[in-house]
Amino acid sequence: MWSSCWTYSLNLSSVPGDGDGQSRWCLSQVKGAVDDDVAEADIISAVEFNHSGELLATGDRGGRIVIFQQEQESKNLPQCRAEYNVYSTFQSHEPEFDYLKSLEIEEKINKIRWLPQKNAAHFLLSTNDKTIKLWKISERDKRPEGYNLKEEDGRYRHPSSLTTLRVPVFQPMDLMVEASPRRVYANAHTYHINSISVNSDNETYLSADDLRINLWHLDFTDRSFNIVDIKPANMEELTEVITASEFHPLQCNTFVYGSSKGSVRLCDMRASALCDQHSKLFEEPEDPSTRSFFSEIISSISDVKFSHSGRYMMTRDYLTLKIWDLHMESRPVETYQVHGYLRSKLCSLYENDCIFDKFECCWRGDDSEVMTGSYNNFFRMFNRDAQRDSTLEASWENGSPGCPLKTWRVCTGSRRKRNEIGVDCLDFSRKILYTSWHPQDNIVALATVNNLYIFQEKPN
Amino acid sequence: MLGKGLKRKLEQEDENDVMKMSSHQEASPTCYWLQRQTVLNLSLLKLHSRPVHSDPGLARRVLITNTLRHIQDELRGEGIPVPQSFPCGGTPLGVVDGYRERSAGCGVESHSEGSLTPVSRLEEDKHLLLCLSPSVTRQQPPSSIIKDSFTSALAEIEDLCPTVGITTLFSTETGRSLTSDPNFDESRYTDSDLSEMNSSLDSVSLVSDPAPSAFGHTPSLLADFSLDDFLFTELDSLLFDSTPCSSPLSTSSGASKVVSMVTDDFVKTLAGYGNGGTSQSTLQSNQTFKLDLNELDHIMEVLVGS
């Protein structure tokens, strides 16, 4: 086992890229308004495929959820699989006001997680800073007709006008998709919720805020159990917060949580009721040669995701993506530089607050590739098997749908070749924080500020 | 090629060309010192202002505080005297959930090995969980914490001379609880405003040692405190209270009766209350407040025994 562990680090000078600067990825669709005027409420804050990949949910800062469905007819045509159309739109969360603390509770959707499908309806969990909701999305394509006491338009008939009785029958109607809130899990978090994760037992889920992680049963909204609490007795001693958390995809007793200090703790719920003692601590010793004032900030874990196999775990910090083998805590088995050229710009990024951006990351269905977002609407793909990476841009101006994307290269020198851009020309207001990969196909969805981009990989 | 719209270039350092980022910070000691100073200033600035996006998260504050502390430790290690504006020891988190959680004890100790702890037992005071809960339990906070908080809070007020009205508010309110005035009617204070007061005090209290003037605070936080306090206590009691304990602390103009808020409107309104409708007295009392600040500080130091 140990002989197969290695650390791979990509730096700019040895980027192989894909052949002639073209990738196999093509833009499939862009959703959302394409003008420059972006309303705050329209900014996308969550993107998530469901377990079959048929549905794609997005949440925005206005508390709305928009669900897209894969185009049914062309689902089986290889070149059209990545066509998604609006399926349902609903308001998930509303802004609230905490009167006791005089604080506004934002309606922004922080995370969306789908439940595995058990029947015809679809269920998802959505959360803002304080409250988690379980939504049922169901279709209605039939309605009963032929009531005895009601007219078709709903007016009641006078009983004396009845001469015969009939049995109402279901008649087809235009498809209607309804979203209804089935559970509201509230009042369990003092701090802002940053993660939710459904357990593999399909009965429980966890929700994590800055200092605590709570365990819920999906059926019960009036009780929640605390499983991790890192709040110190004296808040002045607080130096570390929880930043992300996830259940293991296969073991229902295992979960991990990442911290602002760059460590990830794996906990086993069988060990004790309160999992403050971790079972494993994944932490890479700091490289003294790269130490700076911002070392801690850039080491803060912004996302943690288990591989589909359950054997590996990926963590995203500000500059890198790390793949960890769950059996080895001392260091990651793979490290990928997402945008290492920013290392010399950290002071400026600290000034404009970009250094606090929380990027998500995701695995391909077969765990052979990983992806994460960057600035300038770039996103990075890392092929673990081939040990190759590419930088692609999410831009609706770039080529037509179906046309392969060009790969980019960020350089620090003054020479500019085609498809190269200088570090100083990057647009830090255009960032890709939220990404999701289709569970089976090579389709990725990612969000720029207010647009949803769907890309598809063309087979060779 | 990169999409239409204005490209916002990476912001360059304004200070001087020495700050052009180089990855070799050790190359020039001056460069390092300058960068450290820049980071220090930025950190202080960030802790006192709201971020660009609306969410002033705990995580962000913790990270900035840790950065600040790291620099402070470095400066101390180099023998450079740390300016008073540094936090010593404590982290200036100013967590709004406030003081009550501390006195209630951390919920952790109520966990038993074998059973899960319901979240409802994490905070003994349910109102922390329920935003709109009416029930509030009573607790008497240990005075030591109030003293520490108060000293540093008072020190802070020195920095906030323009918002002098709040000084009086501090003196009237905290003065009462400190000296256990017989007239101090606990029922006048619900626990919530005590905790609000102390939470705000804690949030401004950045040092555990009674060093004056931890780094200054944005008026808005104090304004919040004042507003809450007003919402919970009877206006009359604040304005017209003339308890013996408050007299040594109040300004000579008897301006303890006039409690001013940061907002001008409120100032005028209250001035109207306390002075029979004339708004001019506000100005006079403000001036008197300024003069009496030092007096107040001295008195507080004597009382608290710094």
Side-chain angles (χ1 to χ4, degrees):
Chain A
M1 167 172 57
W2 300 109
S3 60
S4 65
C5 297
W6 78 100
T7 302
Y8 187 87
S9 181
L10 288 172
N11 55 41
L12 214 51
S13 57
S14 66
V15 160
D18 272 287
D20 55 354
Q22 281 206 338
S23 73
R24 296 191 311 278
W25 290 89
C26 317
L27 174 63
S28 174
Q29 288 177 303
V30 181
K31 306 286 189 190
V34 288
D35 52 24
D36 288 334
D37 214 5
V38 181
E40 166 89 10
D42 291 335
I43 295 177
I44 297 173
S45 54
V47 178
E48 189 79 3
F49 277 104
N50 75 337
H51 292 271
S52 65
E54 183 202 347
L55 297 179
L56 174 60
T58 62
D60 63 24
R61 287 204 191 167
R64 288 167 305 203
I65 290 183
V66 180
I67 300 179
F68 299 89
Q69 185 191 40
Q70 201 169 21
E71 175 62 43
Q72 298 294 304
E73 276 127 39
S74 56
K75 211 160 64 161
N76 297 318
L77 297 170
Q79 62 271 25
C80 294
R81 284 192 61 83
E83 267 191 45
Y84 284 79
N85 301 312
V86 177
Y87 180 64
S88 173
T89 305
F90 56 94
Q91 186 77 30
S92 172
H93 286 73
E94 297 277 2
E96 286 169 43
F97 193 78
D98 180 348
Y99 294 98
L100 281 165
K101 298 177 192 172
S102 297
L103 286 177
E104 222 183 73
I105 300 172
E106 281 184 2
E107 68 274 32
K108 166 167 111 57
I109 306 294
N110 291 337
K111 281 288 188 296
I112 295 172
R113 288 289 181 265
W114 290 91
L115 267 56
Q117 194 175 6
K118 280 195 271 197
N119 50 38
H122 298 273
F123 288 86
L124 62 78
L125 285 171
S126 68
T127 185
N128 68 349
D129 285 339
K130 294 287 187 183
T131 306
I132 306 136
K133 292 188 185 180
L134 177 69
W135 287 90
K136 175 181 176 183
I137 296 106
S138 49
E139 292 183 3
R140 191 196 292 269
D141 60 355
K142 296 193 220 349
R143 65 159 189 215
E145 280 179 25
Y147 283 109
N148 291 293
L149 294 173
K150 271 199 296 189
E151 302 281 6
E152 291 309 323
D153 57 9
R155 280 180 306 151
Y156 280 95
R157 292 164 70 179
H158 199 275
S160 61
S161 67
L162 290 176
T163 52
T164 59
L165 280 178
R166 55 185 176 167
V167 177
V169 292
F170 274 103
Q171 299 290 346
M173 60 179 257
D174 289 338
L175 179 67
M176 202 167 69
V177 181
E178 298 171 321
S180 59
R182 305 302 284 178
R183 301 275 190 279
V184 177
Y185 310 93
N187 302 324
H189 286 279
T190 310
Y191 305 97
H192 289 178
I193 298 174
N194 52 55
S195 313
I196 48 174
S197 176
V198 184
N199 204 348
S200 51
D201 64 8
N202 289 337
E203 286 186 348
T204 56
Y205 75 94
L206 63 78
S207 57
D209 65 28
D210 293 317
L211 296 179
R212 298 196 177 103
I213 301 179
N214 295 330
L215 181 71
W216 302 82
H217 191 286
L218 285 165
D219 290 342
F220 303 111
T221 61
D222 60 349
R223 70 199 86 143
S224 164
F225 296 97
N226 178 242
I227 52 177
V228 173
D229 189 339
I230 64 168
K231 181 171 183 289
N234 181 3
M235 279 299 283
E236 287 188 356
E237 292 163 18
L238 178 67
T239 56
E240 193 172 7
V241 296
I242 298 170
T243 53
S245 183
E246 193 178 61
F247 263 120
H248 191 276
L250 304 169
Q251 294 166 18
C252 58
N253 54 285
T254 307
F255 66 94
V256 292
Y257 66 94
S259 83
S260 57
K261 286 201 169 173
S263 59
V264 179
R265 286 170 177 79
L266 183 142
C267 300
D268 186 337
M269 293 196 291
R270 298 170 300 187
S272 79
L274 183 65
C275 300
D276 277 359
Q277 300 295 321
H278 54 261
S279 300
K280 285 181 192 277
L281 172 66
F282 297 87
E283 201 169 26
E284 187 174 22
E286 195 191 344
D287 180 3
S289 68
T290 58
R291 175 125 191 89
S292 75
F293 298 114
F294 312 105
S295 292
E296 184 181 316
I297 300 179
I298 63 170
S299 73
S300 175
I301 305 289
S302 58
D303 195 16
V304 60
K305 291 266 169 50
F306 280 102
S307 65
H308 292 91
S309 63
R311 180 167 170 205
Y312 296 98
M313 163 181 82
M314 167 165 60
T315 59
R316 173 74 156 97
D317 52 59
Y318 191 65
L319 297 179
T320 68
L321 258 184
K322 291 177 181 169
I323 312 274
W324 301 78
D325 185 327
L326 291 182
H327 298 108
M328 186 165 81
E329 304 164 58
S330 54
R331 65 177 192 281
V333 291
E334 294 156 41
T335 301
Y336 299 105
Q337 298 295 327
V338 179
H339 36 219
Y341 44 80
L342 295 183
R343 196 174 281 276
S344 58
K345 307 282 181 190
L346 292 178
C347 197
S348 301
L349 294 165
Y350 183 60
E351 186 178 354
N352 63 19
D353 268 0
C354 283
I355 208 173
F356 300 106
D357 286 335
K358 291 185 76 173
F359 291 92
E360 287 184 3
C361 53
C362 52
W363 293 85
R364 182 171 149 169
D366 61 4
D367 296 339
S368 64
E369 273 187 89
V370 293
M371 176 183 84
T372 188
S374 177
Y375 293 104
N376 208 73
N377 279 356
F378 286 159
F379 58 102
R380 300 274 282 140
M381 297 260 190
F382 299 94
N383 189 319
R384 298 175 64 212
D385 294 343
Q387 287 299 309
R388 279 203 314 224
D389 70 296
S390 45
T391 305
L392 304 172
E393 186 189 8
S395 163
W396 62 277
E397 276 186 348
N398 252 4
S400 48
C403 184
L405 293 176
K406 292 186 286 263
T407 58
W408 284 89
R409 202 164 165 146
V410 181
C411 49
T412 49
S414 53
R415 278 200 192 205
R416 297 277 178 277
K417 291 185 224 163
R418 218 164 33 131
N419 276 34
E420 281 187 2
I421 178 172
V423 187
D424 295 333
C425 298
L426 296 173
D427 186 348
F428 289 84
S429 64
R430 289 156 65 210
K431 56 191 91 169
I432 294 175
L433 301 174
Y434 312 107
T435 57
S436 185
W437 206 309
H438 191 287
Q440 278 114 35
D441 291 338
N442 275 350
I443 301 171
V444 297
L446 48 89
T448 57
V449 173
N450 69 324
N451 291 122
L452 177 71
Y453 282 78
I454 301 174
F455 294 94
Q456 184 181 18
E457 192 183 37
K458 292 286 183 237
N460 274 336
Chain B
M1 212 179 333
L2 290 166
K4 64 176 183 186
L6 215 60
K7 271 197 269 280
R8 213 181 63 187
K9 293 211 172 175
L10 185 57
E11 286 166 352
Q12 295 295 325
E13 291 305 313
D14 288 337
E15 273 78 43
N16 52 44
D17 286 344
V18 178
M19 290 313 296
K20 278 280 166 89
M21 291 305 116
S22 69
S23 47
H24 311 287
Q25 289 148 359
E26 305 78 13
S28 158
T30 322
C31 182
Y32 181 77
W33 185 89
L34 270 170
Q35 192 187 37
R36 185 169 63 190
Q37 195 63 36
T38 309
V39 176
L40 191 106
N41 295 337
L42 281 175
S43 305
L44 289 171
L45 197 68
K46 281 177 188 305
L47 280 173
H48 292 97
S49 56
R50 295 219 118 205
V52 181
H53 32 81
S54 51
D55 180 12
L58 184 62
R60 185 174 173 274
R61 279 209 302 271
V62 166
L63 287 171
I64 297 171
T65 308
N66 289 350
T67 308
L68 204 52
R69 201 197 277 145
H70 165 72
I71 295 177
Q72 169 203 333
D73 291 343
E74 225 178 67
L75 286 171
R76 284 236 174 88
E78 290 173 8
I80 298 170
V82 172
Q84 293 300 341
S85 56
F86 273 59
C88 319
T91 56
L93 288 174
V95 180
V96 284
D97 55 23
Y99 166 82
R100 188 198 314 253
E101 289 198 43
R102 282 192 227 178
S103 60
C106 188
V108 181
E109 58 221 19
S110 64
H111 288 146
S112 61
E113 268 305 304
S115 63
L116 286 173
T117 306
V119 163
S120 52
R121 262 205 273 143
L122 270 179
E123 339 274 15
E124 289 196 40
D125 270 321
K126 289 203 172 67
H127 104 280
L128 283 170
L129 290 179
L130 305 172
C131 299
L132 303 171
S133 163
S135 67
V136 165
T137 55
R138 296 182 181 288
Q139 289 170 36
Q140 184 65 26
S143 54
S144 57
I145 297 181
I146 299 178
K147 282 179 198 165
D148 285 343
S149 312
F150 185 76
T151 316
S152 30
L154 199 57
E156 294 227 356
I157 290 152
E158 280 185 340
D159 296 339
L160 295 169
C161 266
T163 56
V164 286
I166 296 170
T167 310
T168 317
L169 182 64
F170 271 73
S171 67
T172 16
E173 303 317 312
T174 324
R176 280 188 219 155
S177 40
L178 266 181
T179 57
S180 309
D181 176 52
N183 289 353
F184 176 63
D185 184 7
E186 236 190 276
S187 63
R188 245 208 300 270
Y189 285 91
T190 60
D191 242 17
S192 47
D193 50 79
L194 254 182
S195 75
E196 291 299 342
M197 164 163 62
N198 286 312
S199 70
S200 301
L201 288 178
D202 290 340
S203 63
V204 303
S205 150
L206 307 160
V207 292
S208 45
D209 50 9
S213 138
F215 49 84
H217 222 289
T218 52
S220 57
L221 192 64
L222 291 171
D224 283 347
F225 149 58
S226 307
L227 185 59
D228 284 338
D229 204 58
F230 266 80
L231 290 174
F232 289 124
T233 61
E234 299 163 26
L235 206 58
D236 288 345
S237 63
L238 279 173
L239 296 172
F240 299 112
D241 185 51
S242 52
T243 55
C245 76
S246 60
S247 37
L249 302 176
S250 65
T251 60
S252 55
S253 70
S256 58
K257 298 189 178 72
V258 181
V259 187
S260 37
M261 295 285 295
V262 175
T263 57
D264 290 340
D265 294 343
F266 215 107
V267 166
K268 291 191 187 110
T269 314
L270 289 170
Y273 270 116
N275 297 283
T278 55
S279 53
Q280 287 161 348
S281 52
T282 315
L283 288 167
Q284 292 167 0
S285 34
N286 274 349
Q287 287 160 1
T288 329
F289 289 171
K290 279 187 184 131
L291 294 172
D292 288 327
L293 257 178
N294 291 333
E295 212 177 48
L296 216 62
D297 186 34
H298 174 67
I299 290 163
M300 279 316 303
E301 276 181 24
V302 166
L303 276 175
V304 171
S306 62

